[in-house]
Amino acid sequence: MRPFLFLAVASGYSFIDSIEFTESEASDSLMEKSGSKGEKWMELHKALSSTYEALPKNKNGYLDHQAVRYVLHRLFVQRYGWYIKGLEPNGEDWHHKPAPGEGSKIQDWVPSFLQNLLEDKAHHDGLDLSELVSLAAALEDLVSHEAESRLKTAYQIHDVDISQSMDRETAEDIVRTWYVGFLLAGNFSASSPDEVHQKKNVFARKYSDWSHADEWLANVEKEEYAKRDSTSSSFESNLKTVSRIGQEYFRFNDQECSALKSTLKGMEGKKAGRVRLSTFYQKSLYSHWRFTEKADYLRKLGALDESDPKGQQVIVTNYMMARPNCLEASGLYAVCCRNECEDLMGHLEGEIKASRAEPKRVAELVSKLSSDTVAAPRELSPALLERLEQVAASNGGEVPLHGRLFAQWMHHAYPRECPYPHESGTVSPQTPDEWMKETGASDSSASKEEMRQQVESDVCAIDENGKPKGAGCEEAEDLPWSQAEELLSQPSQVEDLPQASEAEEELPSPCSLDHPCDGSTQPMARTGFRWDALAAILSVCLAAALICDYWYTSVCSRHTKADVFYVNTVSNKDLACKFSLCRNALAAWALASLAWVMDLLDTGIFACSMVGGLCVLGAKRAGDKFGQKKEMRKL
């Protein structure tokens, strides 16, 4: 487990104050990226296109909220090892909602806020590929802004102006200050160069494996300086260095994760990817590894398997990616052990190029797909093939690649790479502090006495030869299996089914991660496309009515002899006033329509204004006819 050292104080310049964004800043970043299609945008488009094509779409052909979170989570984990807060794959919030007045430095509201902005602008539910790329680019841009803000804080601590050029030694000193703040999740502050040097020396002595972390940074700096024409550094060149640290730190972190995985693998019993809780604690008691999380906390994290009545077991993959092993490097993301299953899923999506496939096709691809601990090609066991057929049978004969059952099947096929997918709402990836605050516990770690008690009470504990100590403790090799299915998104069926009646449209949607079967009966929302079509029809109707009214005013009222007699009694001024009103109404219609087309006017307001115009015009026409007949009787 990664040890953390907190050095923040109440005074001085603090990195923790450099990680907040306002809605206005987030919105500006999105608008900037929506209108730009430069090299970075094209790079993200290429990275997202294959996964986008393979994901299920809603009935209008867009990715819904859960699918957008899934694909962006995959993108940032694969590119930078970032677990963006608010893009959690299981739909759970990583952070509690702050109480009124409590405040929060965590920016987990940003992804949903930006997605809602895009949907409002496009007038439809969900995102297309271009909008998805813009959202990804905006999130990257916000991360870059945060890195820049923290670098400015480092300049302030060292009392250096950002416009000032400096030698390499000074630049490396400032970058290391930024790096320490990064490793301490922003919990680092100082008020002067002397204070920051003193604190960095303390950090270097107490931070586990600092020598390797500092060596990795030195290599990054060396490569950055090799690209420059001068040995002097500017704020812009230092910003490139710290941005690269944020984007590539996961490569260094992977080395620690590999060591953790190797250690846990060596502690397994007969079940692949499982470690008895007693063995887990025993390793902590008699080695440098700190496997100390309480069973209740492991359960909340989704890292505890209690399917075997003979003993609790730690799920290796779920534990490795759990929050205690993450570096909370940013207000926007955490650096965790990478989900190796994402790479396997990416390969399957690239080969299948669809959201569903025949079980035979899936089995063929998986049998040829190797991982860190699974060799290929291999012959899948009859039990695995049978489970795959069960997944298909539960979903109309095909295997949905983005459902809970297939994720569970992948956990069985790759138990040390793919995490076990718990049912929605049963787990929550909380930090130790969040769990303690929720439960009222004084500590998330078990005491040595509690760990010894767990080890001694387990009659089926594994001895030094890897065999259970007690009699009748033979451990089964089968992993647990649950038939509960949850789909990432309900696939569109508009092409294959006749149009539903209005009553059918109001039925609740099928079970999915966005709409779990929890007894709620909320009707499906009307799509933005239908509102746009209705607004357009109303606009055309009002335009036709206005044109007819103008024509009727100028010509139609003269068709009969009686009408001619009536018109002659009307002053030229009254007639000119009528023509002016018609022209003004047409101009108002044209301006409103133009504002709506340019997304400057909400669709609902525009539609209501068109209805109001038709009502006013109808009332005017009826009033004119009544007034004409009344005047004729007088004459």
Side-chain angles (χ1 to χ4, degrees):
M1 182 190 301
R2 184 189 310 278
F4 289 103
L5 174 68
F6 295 92
L7 300 175
V9 295
S11 61
Y13 301 105
S14 174
F15 287 97
I16 202 70
D17 296 326
S18 306
I19 63 175
E20 290 186 277
F21 300 103
T22 64
E23 290 186 355
S24 176
E25 290 171 327
S27 177
D28 290 344
S29 180
L30 178 62
M31 293 304 103
E32 178 185 347
K33 296 305 174 183
S34 296
S36 172
K37 293 189 178 181
E39 181 180 349
K40 190 68 173 179
W41 194 95
M42 296 304 296
E43 182 182 337
L44 289 171
H45 186 278
K46 182 179 179 181
L48 286 167
S49 57
S50 60
T51 305
Y52 177 85
E53 293 301 325
L55 285 173
K57 316 296 191 299
N58 62 25
K59 64 168 65 177
N60 295 314
Y62 302 113
L63 293 184
D64 62 19
H65 272 255
Q66 185 67 23
V68 167
R69 286 202 313 225
Y70 173 83
V71 66
L72 289 181
H73 169 79
R74 284 268 304 275
L75 171 77
F76 289 116
V77 167
Q78 289 178 323
R79 286 171 68 88
Y80 310 124
W82 295 346
Y83 283 68
I84 298 286
K85 297 161 186 178
L87 297 180
E88 295 75 24
N90 62 354
E92 300 288 344
D93 291 329
W94 275 12
H95 294 266
H96 70 281
K97 303 302 180 190
E102 176 186 343
S104 173
K105 300 294 183 182
I106 303 303
Q107 308 295 299
D108 53 355
W109 56 269
V110 173
S112 291
F113 172 76
L114 294 179
Q115 185 172 353
N116 289 333
L117 276 183
L118 277 175
E119 290 184 357
D120 290 343
K121 182 175 182 294
H123 301 296
H124 58 66
D125 295 328
L127 302 183
D128 61 21
L129 179 56
S130 179
E131 292 158 350
L132 183 68
V133 173
S134 297
L135 178 54
L139 288 171
E140 276 202 17
D141 190 55
L142 289 173
V143 170
S144 178
H145 285 327
E146 183 191 61
E148 181 179 355
S149 179
R150 285 185 171 187
L151 183 59
K152 288 178 179 178
T153 299
Y155 269 69
Q156 289 176 316
I157 291 174
H158 286 266
D159 197 20
V160 177
D161 190 270
I162 61 173
S163 62
Q164 178 180 335
S165 294
M166 62 195 69
D167 57 30
R168 180 167 179 172
E169 182 180 357
T170 304
E172 289 180 349
D173 193 20
I174 291 176
V175 168
R176 265 167 180 71
T177 298
W178 185 97
Y179 187 45
V180 170
F182 176 84
L183 295 176
L184 290 175
N187 290 289
F188 184 65
S189 65
S191 57
S192 67
D194 289 340
E195 184 181 0
V196 75
H197 289 141
Q198 180 183 0
K199 286 189 172 183
K200 284 197 292 186
N201 288 335
V202 173
F203 175 83
R205 290 197 305 269
K206 293 190 175 182
Y207 187 81
S208 175
D209 205 25
W210 166 249
S211 60
H212 287 97
D214 189 51
E215 181 182 357
W216 177 83
L217 173 62
N219 289 333
V220 171
E221 290 176 322
K222 182 179 179 181
E223 292 174 6
E224 283 298 309
Y225 274 100
K227 300 176 184 177
R228 303 175 190 173
D229 298 330
S230 172
T231 56
S232 63
S233 295
S234 63
F235 181 83
E236 289 72 22
S237 60
N238 288 334
L239 179 58
K240 289 181 180 179
T241 301
V242 299
S243 295
R244 183 176 171 187
I245 292 170
Q247 293 175 356
E248 297 186 10
Y249 181 78
F250 77 97
R251 302 186 191 281
F252 174 74
N253 191 61
D254 281 350
Q255 299 173 23
E256 297 184 12
C257 293
S258 296
L260 175 61
K261 181 179 180 180
S262 177
T263 299
L264 290 170
K265 182 175 180 292
M267 298 159 57
E268 292 177 358
K270 284 191 174 182
K271 284 186 179 179
R274 297 291 191 277
V275 173
R276 295 188 73 84
L277 186 59
S278 58
T279 308
F280 185 76
Y281 284 155
Q282 190 172 28
K283 190 73 171 179
S284 179
L285 289 170
Y286 302 107
S287 75
H288 69 283
W289 289 99
R290 296 189 66 248
F291 299 132
T292 61
E293 288 80 6
K294 288 184 176 180
D296 289 341
Y297 183 36
L298 290 171
R299 184 182 299 111
K300 189 68 173 180
L301 293 172
L304 192 64
D305 181 353
E306 299 179 276
S307 61
D308 188 347
K310 296 178 181 178
Q312 298 168 314
Q313 296 179 310
V314 176
I315 307 173
V316 171
T317 48
N318 294 49
Y319 176 74
M320 284 184 59
M321 292 180 284
R323 295 306 291 280
N325 297 314
C326 296
L327 171 64
E328 306 289 329
S330 159
L332 284 165
Y333 67 87
V335 180
C336 306
C337 291
R338 289 198 315 130
N339 184 350
E340 297 175 68
C341 201
E342 304 286 6
D343 298 328
L344 302 174
M345 285 296 298
H347 177 82
L348 294 178
E349 289 170 348
E351 291 292 327
I352 295 173
K353 295 181 172 58
S355 61
R356 303 167 74 88
E358 296 285 340
K360 183 178 179 181
R361 173 65 171 154
V362 174
E364 177 188 359
L365 291 171
V366 170
S367 66
K368 300 176 183 177
L369 186 58
S370 64
S371 72
D372 181 41
T373 61
V374 175
R378 59 169 167 158
E379 185 176 346
L380 301 183
S381 68
L384 264 181
L385 295 174
E386 183 181 353
R387 292 290 193 196
L388 190 60
E389 291 291 342
Q390 290 177 8
V391 175
S394 300
N395 290 279
E398 289 186 321
V399 177
L401 299 185
H402 307 97
R404 183 193 168 276
L405 283 180
F406 184 64
Q408 185 177 219
W409 188 86
M410 287 291 287
H411 175 67
H412 280 238
Y414 301 92
R416 300 184 185 96
E417 284 76 35
C418 295
Y420 178 80
H422 293 276
E423 296 176 39
S424 295
T426 59
V427 299
S428 179
Q430 296 175 327
T431 64
D433 288 341
E434 290 165 354
W435 180 78
M436 287 187 290
K437 185 167 186 175
E438 180 183 281
T439 61
S442 59
D443 200 342
S444 63
S445 297
S447 65
K448 287 188 176 181
E449 182 181 347
E450 290 172 326
M451 289 190 287
R452 287 194 184 98
Q453 184 178 356
Q454 175 68 32
V455 172
E456 293 169 0
S457 64
D458 187 1
V459 296
C460 293
I462 305 298
D463 62 20
E464 60 275 7
N465 297 319
K467 296 181 180 181
K469 295 178 181 178
C473 291
E474 280 302 316
E475 188 177 17
E477 296 183 17
D478 294 337
L479 297 176
W481 181 270
S482 165
Q483 277 298 114
E485 176 67 298
E486 295 173 1
L487 299 179
L488 176 67
S489 177
Q490 192 64 25
S492 171
Q493 296 178 343
V494 173
E495 302 83 6
D496 302 323
L497 298 178
Q499 186 171 355
S501 66
E502 185 172 344
E504 289 170 333
E505 287 177 357
E506 294 180 356
L507 291 175
S509 59
C511 301
S512 68
L513 291 179
D514 273 342
H515 305 282
C517 295
D518 56 0
S520 62
T521 55
Q522 293 183 346
M524 293 171 62
R526 297 283 183 179
T527 62
F529 172 78
R530 293 180 183 177
W531 277 112
D532 289 348
L534 177 60
I537 292 171
L538 289 171
S539 176
V540 172
C541 291
L542 181 58
L546 287 171
I547 294 172
C548 289
D549 184 60
Y550 187 87
W551 174 76
Y552 187 82
T553 300
S554 61
V555 177
C556 192
S557 61
R558 305 172 185 265
H559 279 179
T560 66
K561 184 176 181 180
D563 288 343
V564 172
F565 181 70
Y566 166 69
V567 170
N568 287 335
T569 65
V570 180
S571 68
N572 290 334
K573 182 177 180 181
D574 290 340
L575 196 59
C577 182
K578 284 192 174 186
F579 286 144
S580 177
L581 287 174
C582 289
R583 286 193 293 270
N584 289 342
L586 280 168
W589 168 86
L591 287 174
S593 299
L594 181 62
W596 176 62
V597 170
M598 295 178 66
D599 289 337
L600 300 177
L601 189 63
D602 180 74
T603 298
I605 296 175
F606 177 69
C608 290
S609 67
M610 295 298 104
V611 172
L614 288 169
C615 292
V616 170
L617 194 60
K620 174 182 176 294
R621 188 75 265 143
D624 287 346
K625 287 187 177 181
F626 178 76
Q628 181 178 350
K629 291 179 180 179
K630 184 177 179 181
E631 196 65 34
M632 288 289 293
R633 285 196 296 270
K634 288 182 180 181
L635 294 172

